[in-house]
C-alpha cells in the first residue's frame, strides 16, 4: 500500500489559518478562559485547541468554526443574523447556474 502524500498549502492559506488561530486565541484570552476551559466547552482536547490556535490547516473546519463562535470571532465578516439571508441569496444564485460543469471536448474553431 502506498503511503499518503503530505498535503501542501499555499502561503495565503497558511497565513489566513494562522491569523484565524490568533483571533481565536485573542477571543479566548479576552474572556479570561484557559485553553482547558475552551477545549471543554467545545468538546475537544487541549492539544486540538492548541493546533487550531497555531493555524494548523489539518483541523476539521466544523470544529474550528465552533471554537471561533464560542469566543466571538465572526465568520465571513458577518454577524449571526446576516449569515442566513446571505446564504439564501447565494443558494438562489446557484440555482440559476448549470447543475454540472462539463469539459468541452471539441476545440472551438474560431479561425474565420
Amino acid at each position: 500500500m502506498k503511503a499518503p502524500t503530505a498535503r501542501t498549502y499555499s502561503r495565503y492559506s497558511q497565513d489566513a489559518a494562522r491569523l484565524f488561530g490568533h483571533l481565536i486565541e485573542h477571543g479566548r484570552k479576552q474572556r479570561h478562559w484557559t485553553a482547558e476551559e475552551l477545549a471543554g466547552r467545545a468538546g475537544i482536547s487541549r492539544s486540538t485547541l492548541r493546533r487550531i490556535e497555531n493555524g494548523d490547516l489539518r483541523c476539521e473546519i466544523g470544529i474550528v468554526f465552533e471554537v471561533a463562535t464560542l469566543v466571538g470571532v465572526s465568520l465571513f465578516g458577518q454577524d449571526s443574523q446576516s449569515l442566513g439571508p446571505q446564504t439564501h441569496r447565494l443558494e438562489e444564485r446557484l440555482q440559476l447556474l448549470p447543475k454540472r460543469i462539463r469539459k468541452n471536448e471539441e476545440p472551438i474553431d474560431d479561425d474565420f
Side-chain angles (χ1 to χ4, degrees):
M1 187 195 294
K2 186 177 175 183
T5 307
R7 178 80 171 106
T8 58
Y9 297 97
S10 68
R11 171 55 88 197
Y12 182 79
S13 293
Q14 292 172 14
D15 290 345
R18 195 172 309 108
L19 173 61
F20 200 57
H22 291 326
L23 289 170
I24 290 170
E25 182 179 10
H26 182 260
R28 174 178 63 81
K29 289 181 177 181
Q30 277 190 316
R31 285 170 171 65
H32 303 287
W33 291 348
T34 65
E36 192 168 304
E37 287 174 315
L38 178 55
R41 289 172 189 253
I44 59 175
S45 67
R46 224 173 83 204
S47 63
T48 299
L49 177 62
R50 184 175 27 249
R51 288 178 45 221
I52 291 169
E53 289 182 347
N54 287 332
D56 186 340
L57 286 163
R58 295 169 295 163
C59 294
E60 184 181 315
I61 193 167
I63 293 171
V64 175
F65 280 7
E66 186 60 27
V67 170
T69 300
L70 287 170
V71 298
V73 174
S74 65
L75 303 174
F76 306 104
Q78 305 290 325
D79 60 18
S80 61
Q81 285 75 34
S82 64
L83 281 179
Q86 185 176 353
T87 301
H88 181 70
R89 282 191 302 275
L90 187 54
E91 287 169 348
E92 288 176 340
R93 290 177 63 192
L94 285 169
Q95 290 297 316
L96 300 173
L97 296 173
K99 298 284 183 218
R100 293 186 193 179
I101 305 297
R102 296 184 186 153
K103 187 174 181 175
N104 191 0
E105 298 297 329
E106 296 180 24
I108 299 175
D109 183 14
D110 59 356
D111 188 21
F112 299 110

